[in-house]
Amino acid sequence: MLFCLRQPAPVDKEPEFDCIVCDKPALHSSEAASTATTRTVEVFCRHCGARQTVTTRLSPEGKSWELAS
């Protein structure tokens, strides 16, 4: 995994990510796919060029986003 989910990740906001490679905020494209409980986006780092498709899902309590495995 090249990116980590920025915490806190409340469910009422779009998930945000940080690049693990260079420790800088990452950008994400518009949603590639979504359901009521998941979001899939292409995440990329403009600093080092890292790029990955990342899926997040609602936490079991439904209050925040977490990385889907």
Side-chain angles (χ1 to χ4, degrees), residues 39-53:
R39 299 281 185 269
T40 300
V41 294
E42 181 75 17
V43 180
F44 56 97
C45 180
R46 65 179 179 195
H47 305 282
C48 71
R51 182 178 297 265
Q52 185 174 22
T53 301

Side-chain angles (χ1 to χ4, degrees), residues 23-39:
D23 198 32
K24 301 221 185 246
L27 304 172
H28 63 82
S29 64
S30 57
E31 290 179 2
S34 66
T35 68
T37 59
T38 64
R39 299 281 185 269

Side-chain angles (χ1 to χ4, degrees), residues 6-17:
R6 192 174 305 151
Q7 298 295 332
V11 81
D12 61 340
K13 294 185 179 179
E14 288 295 317
E16 295 181 345
F17 303 90

Side-chain angles (χ1 to χ4, degrees), residues 44-64:
F44 56 97
C45 180
R46 65 179 179 195
H47 305 282
C48 71
R51 182 178 297 265
Q52 185 174 22
T53 301
V54 178
T55 300
T56 55
R57 66 178 178 213
L58 285 178
S59 63
E61 59 277 344
K63 295 182 180 178
S64 62

